[in-house]
Amino acid sequence: MRLSRRDALAALGTAGVLAGATAMAGREPPRADGDARVAPSSEREGSEEVDVEPPTVATLTAAAEVLYPSRVEGHREFVEAYALARTRGRDDYRDGVAEAAAALDAAARDWYDDSFAALSRETRDGLLRELGTVTADADPDGALSERLRYYVVDELLFAFYASPPGGRLVGIENPVGYPGGTESYRTAPPETSDDPGTDGGADGD
Amino acid sequence: MPTVTDRSIAGEPGGGIGGSAGDVDDGGDVSAGDVDDGIDRTAPGRADVCVVGSGPAGALVACRLAEAGRDVVVLEAGPRFEPAPGDRAERMEAHLRPGGGDVWGMGGPRDRYSSTGDRHYPLNAARVKAVGGSTLHWQGMVMRLHERDFELRSRHGVGADWPIDYDDLRPYYAAAEREFGVAGALDNPFAPPREEPFPLPAFPPSHSDAIFAEACERLGIATHSVPNARNPEPYDGRPACQGYGTCKPVCPSGAKYTAESHVRRAEAAGARVIDRAPVQRLVHDAAGDRVDAAVYATPDGTRHRVEAREFVVACGGVETPRLLLLSRSDAYPDGLANSSGLVGRYFADHLFAGVGGRIDRPTRQNHVGFNTSESHQFYDGDDPVEAIKLEFLNYAGPSPAIEATGSEEWGDALLDSLRESYGTHIAMGALVEQLPRYEHYVGLDPSRTDDHGNPVPEVHWSVDDRTARAIERANGIQRSILRELDATIDWVVGPENTGPAFHHVGTTRMGEDPAESVVDANCRTHDLRNCWIVGSSVFPTGGAMNPTLTIAAVALRAAERIDAAL
């Protein structure tokens, strides 16, 4: 399953980055298997703004490779488009993400003498565990493990599982938090596949 | 606790289960925010009408009177949130993700309370203080009460009769449905008579509704649609539902009705709405016959006094009696408008009953955050007399993003767990009537104060034996339906672990006799000629229907009477 920029744009609907920018009065319901959730081109252009530093992208991408199922590919494109664009206009949140990513990277350099992104997947997994993020309570203002849980681990898990690519892997194409319209709840489930959403195209945009 | 009440439906009945009675300060900080936000909160000149509270009752009254050309001022204790869609997707995320804080900022010194009954009452999960009131977090289910609900004493010898009947409210129900933009269908064989279709078509039944319907048909239980105050298509400047699935506690799109709609209309008609302006006291004249002024506080610590010809108290079933009790005087030593001694008494709620489990096929839960099928077949019976409203849930079991962000796994292990836990859950809920009881009350706790030094509300509430038996009856019906589906029964919310549905009724009850009630049939207090109360606190009984449509109908009727009194 390869995540695409289109998946990220769909996920941005979850985060309200696109929907929130547009008055929706008069808007008809979208469809979980349709394209109504995909923003107009003008909004997509806006979503391309990257206002988080490249090292943050690299660190979040490396974390996503650990946090997402192994069958998922295309992490960097997804992270760039989603995790970065949705911090636009949210200065405190952007700073929190950047600070947490930098702290994670610093821990990697201190403990393993290399950047987080340069570590093996197994080592990255181990470091996240060593930092206590598995059991930490998410807290944007808490201790390091709690901030990492909030700004890195939960940030990436929410991006994935509250959007169609992740939801579909679980069996729900319109997961809670995603504006997938009011048709899917009425229908029997689609044919199951172990690799739904391949290449992002199954999102129908 | 079953996952049917997971984080996606905060404030769901049962939210207080396991809580201990006593003082409650649940840690929020709602008084946070700019003290100097540049907004003029000084008192306007003498108004025609001063409305205290901007939830659905207050907003509708303010809107109707402002649009009738009256000079209206609304005082709201809570803040004005950015209108939808605004930042509501971020609020939704705060709800779905751990660590996000309270969606609407409830808690903290402003909202302290005491719970002293045998059952804990989780008050701050039950309400929102803000422009729009608790409609910001409500689910948006809008049914009319049945004829029997107005005549319980006459028909069954329990509870109380209303001084008005269904026919009196019937045109106002229709008006309320238009105001909300109710989506519904005429397929409910148990509904009271109505004169016109719903303004909007009903949301079609869900996949799981069809599963339930087969079992119910075999058992002789009729199912039907649910009237919803959310848009299946654009209506009244609000968009169609986008399917976020988080109606309760926040609709990111604005498709769900909130009273903000009528606040906006009131303001467009000239009303002035002052937020973060909690009313401290109502002050009456020397004769004790009329309210002269409402004294309110502003974030900078100053107090202001607004005078008006008529005053409308619309603060909900807890804060309305609290304000009256706080406004005691030499003329009214037990509280304003409390010659009957009944202000705060007869506090009641609906109780939640539920059963859930899993079946051997996909149930397609958690695509949307509202229900599409119910059964009112057990509403009007006499064994038990207490009404039961059955609900077929569309949000049983966990949802991936919520489960993932709370998980101690990630990668393939997390996906495996999510796949195991999602997909085949099924659940039923029910609202069960609680008859009014004198010993259940909202009072003042003089031992604790809020951020302005006022005694906090004391909620003294429990679940009585009659209600417990009705809950057991609801559980029995629910179990029979799940058994018919060959479902496992993994959890039951019954008499021991039930919780309130957050529908506060009865604390300023309506009646003809001033010795037995607080307001008359028109919602005017018996004691003071220019003091009116709207909201569910005036309900003598609450049936088992979600109360907001009736709140609206009663408010619209009262608005006509207030206008006539001006």
Side-chain angles (χ1 to χ4, degrees):
Chain A
M1 175 189 187
R2 171 167 287 279
L3 292 171
S4 71
R5 186 172 171 281
R6 286 188 298 182
D7 292 321
L9 288 170
L12 286 169
T14 302
V17 171
L18 303 183
T22 308
M24 290 191 289
R27 186 170 165 185
E28 294 290 342
R31 293 164 52 96
D33 58 349
D35 63 359
R37 66 186 176 281
V38 176
S41 58
S42 59
E43 292 172 292
R44 288 191 224 172
E45 288 165 7
S47 71
E48 290 175 356
E49 292 179 16
V50 174
D51 49 8
V52 176
E53 295 299 316
T56 302
V57 176
T59 302
L60 292 178
T61 300
E65 290 169 356
V66 172
L67 299 170
Y68 293 174
S70 58
R71 74 197 64 187
V72 172
E73 299 174 348
H75 302 83
R76 185 177 181 91
E77 193 173 13
F78 185 80
V79 167
E80 278 184 341
Y82 173 82
L84 304 187
R86 87 192 205 91
T87 64
R88 182 163 44 96
R90 301 167 69 190
D91 291 350
D92 289 347
Y93 196 83
R94 181 194 59 210
D95 292 347
V97 171
E99 184 274 336
L104 178 58
D105 194 58
R109 293 176 191 277
D110 284 348
W111 295 4
Y112 293 99
D113 298 322
D114 213 338
S115 69
F116 183 75
L119 301 177
S120 70
R121 183 168 175 155
E122 291 71 24
T123 305
R124 278 176 269 151
D125 186 299
L127 177 57
L128 284 169
R129 295 177 190 279
E130 288 163 354
L131 288 167
T133 63
V134 174
T135 56
D137 291 332
D139 184 348
D141 302 312
L144 175 61
S145 59
E146 295 165 332
R147 297 198 309 277
L148 289 173
R149 179 75 202 200
Y150 185 82
Y151 284 117
V152 176
V153 175
D154 282 357
E155 170 71 12
L156 290 165
L157 290 176
F158 183 77
F160 186 66
Y161 285 111
S163 61
R168 194 174 285 115
L169 277 181
V170 179
I172 176 170
E173 66 273 32
N174 180 24
V176 164
Y178 179 72
T182 54
E183 292 188 18
S184 65
Y185 80 92
R186 312 177 208 167
T187 60
E191 290 298 316
T192 56
S193 164
D194 199 43
D195 189 18
T198 300
D199 206 22
D203 286 337
D205 61 349
Chain B
M1 190 61 197
T3 50
V4 68
T5 56
D6 62 21
R7 293 204 307 275
S8 70
I9 40 179
E12 190 70 10
I17 294 166
S20 58
D23 300 342
V24 180
D25 181 346
D26 32 15
D29 185 11
V30 257
S31 43
D34 288 340
V35 169
D36 183 14
D37 56 11
I39 296 174
D40 176 14
R41 293 187 174 85
T42 57
R46 189 168 191 261
D48 289 331
V49 184
C50 174
V51 179
V52 185
S54 67
L60 279 164
V61 169
C63 178
R64 279 294 168 97
L65 294 175
E67 290 181 345
R70 303 300 185 180
D71 180 18
V72 176
V73 60
V74 179
L75 301 173
E76 168 55 52
R80 185 193 299 265
F81 290 104
E82 190 178 333
D87 64 357
R88 302 223 170 161
E90 289 178 36
R91 294 186 183 281
M92 174 191 72
E93 185 178 327
H95 163 62
L96 295 175
R97 287 180 52 177
D102 188 274
V103 175
W104 300 113
M106 289 300 298
R110 185 194 68 183
D111 304 321
R112 286 183 185 127
Y113 67 99
S114 296
S115 174
T116 60
D118 290 342
R119 296 287 181 114
H120 176 70
Y121 197 92
L123 182 59
N124 285 338
R127 57 182 183 168
V128 173
K129 290 184 182 177
V131 172
S134 295
T135 55
L136 295 184
H137 83 157
W138 75 321
Q139 185 150 22
M141 300 167 77
V142 276
M143 302 83 181
R144 301 182 181 197
L145 289 176
H146 286 194
E147 288 110 319
R148 55 82 75 180
D149 291 319
F150 300 89
E151 304 165 356
L152 266 192
R153 171 62 62 181
S154 298
R155 291 195 186 199
H156 299 291
V158 297
D161 286 348
W162 291 48
I164 54 177
D165 62 19
Y166 176 76
D167 284 340
D168 292 322
L169 269 192
R170 188 168 160 176
Y172 300 97
Y173 271 130
E177 288 166 349
R178 290 191 296 273
E179 294 292 345
F180 286 179
V182 176
L186 305 177
D187 63 337
N188 181 351
F190 312 106
R194 54 181 301 122
E195 54 291 306
E196 58 191 59
F198 290 92
L200 294 173
F203 286 92
S206 66
H207 179 69
S208 58
D209 289 340
I211 295 172
F212 275 120
E214 291 178 15
C216 286
E217 186 173 354
R218 290 194 294 273
L219 294 170
I221 298 172
T223 65
H224 48 79
S225 62
V226 177
N228 272 290
R230 81 195 87 247
N231 292 347
E233 58 192 49
Y235 183 85
D236 196 27
R238 293 181 288 117
C241 175
Q242 307 290 304
Y244 278 98
T246 59
C247 311
K248 185 177 179 176
V250 55
C251 170
S253 71
K256 180 184 77 173
Y257 170 83
T258 75
E260 295 163 290
S261 293
H262 286 96
V263 170
R264 280 193 291 273
R265 274 178 49 185
E267 290 181 299
R272 182 166 172 215
V273 179
I274 304 175
D275 74 334
R276 301 172 70 194
V279 173
Q280 308 294 297
R281 300 287 187 278
L282 296 175
V283 181
H284 60 73
D285 61 6
D289 190 42
R290 300 179 64 85
V291 175
D292 277 342
V295 177
Y296 64 95
T298 49
D300 62 3
T302 60
R303 297 200 174 196
H304 305 267
R305 175 187 170 98
V306 62
E307 298 180 352
R309 296 165 64 191
E310 305 290 330
F311 287 83
V312 182
V313 184
C315 311
V318 173
E319 294 295 341
T320 284
R322 181 186 180 217
L323 176 58
L324 297 177
L325 295 174
L326 287 172
S327 301
R328 65 182 180 273
S329 65
D330 290 343
Y332 295 101
D334 297 323
L336 194 68
N338 196 22
S339 294
S340 65
L342 297 180
V343 168
R345 290 286 172 181
Y346 297 112
F347 175 72
D349 205 317
H350 299 142
L351 280 303
F352 182 78
V355 173
R358 302 183 77 158
I359 59 175
D360 60 357
R361 51 198 144 138
T363 53
R364 307 285 279 168
Q365 297 295 283
N366 285 312
H367 288 243
V368 292
F370 57 90
N371 295 329
T372 41
S373 285
E374 290 190 334
S375 179
H376 299 175
Q377 184 165 327
F378 303 93
Y379 195 90
D380 294 87
D382 54 14
D383 184 22
V385 168
E386 285 83 355
I388 294 170
K389 187 195 75 161
L390 293 177
E391 302 171 338
F392 303 96
L393 305 188
N394 285 335
Y395 37 78
S399 187
I402 298 172
E403 196 172 14
T405 52
S407 175
E408 296 186 359
E409 298 175 308
W410 53 55
D412 290 338
L414 173 59
L415 177 60
D416 289 345
S417 294
L418 296 177
R419 285 179 156 180
E420 168 58 28
S421 62
Y422 177 77
T424 58
H425 287 271
I426 200 160
M428 291 187 64
L431 292 187
V432 175
E433 179 172 24
Q434 181 176 41
L435 296 174
R437 298 172 69 89
Y438 180 82
E439 59 267 33
H440 293 164
Y441 64 86
V442 172
L444 299 178
D445 180 355
S447 70
R448 304 188 75 226
T449 55
D450 67 7
D451 56 342
H452 290 91
N454 293 313
V456 304
E458 174 198 4
V459 181
H460 191 91
W461 174 82
S462 192
V463 179
D464 53 280
D465 291 343
R466 285 192 64 119
T467 308
R469 286 193 293 274
I471 293 169
E472 287 174 347
R473 168 65 173 144
N475 287 156
I477 300 166
Q478 293 164 331
R479 279 195 181 92
S480 70
I481 295 171
L482 262 66
R483 278 198 296 266
E484 186 67 22
L485 288 168
D486 290 327
T488 61
I489 294 181
D490 300 337
W491 57 266
V492 176
V493 175
E496 293 77 22
N497 60 346
T498 185
F502 305 155
H503 302 152
H504 312 145
V505 305
T507 49
T508 59
R509 56 172 23 189
M510 174 193 291
E512 300 286 2
D513 183 352
E516 298 291 335
S517 56
V518 177
V519 300
D520 65 18
N522 295 327
C523 296
R524 176 160 34 192
T525 61
H526 292 299
D527 288 346
L528 295 113
R529 287 189 294 136
N530 70 335
C531 184
W532 310 73
I533 297 174
V534 291
S536 54
S537 64
V538 305
F539 294 7
T541 57
M545 295 296 180
N546 308 60
T548 304
L549 190 74
T550 304
I551 290 173
V554 170
L556 290 170
R557 184 174 182 273
E560 290 184 355
R561 274 63 177 177
I562 297 166
D563 191 48
L566 284 164

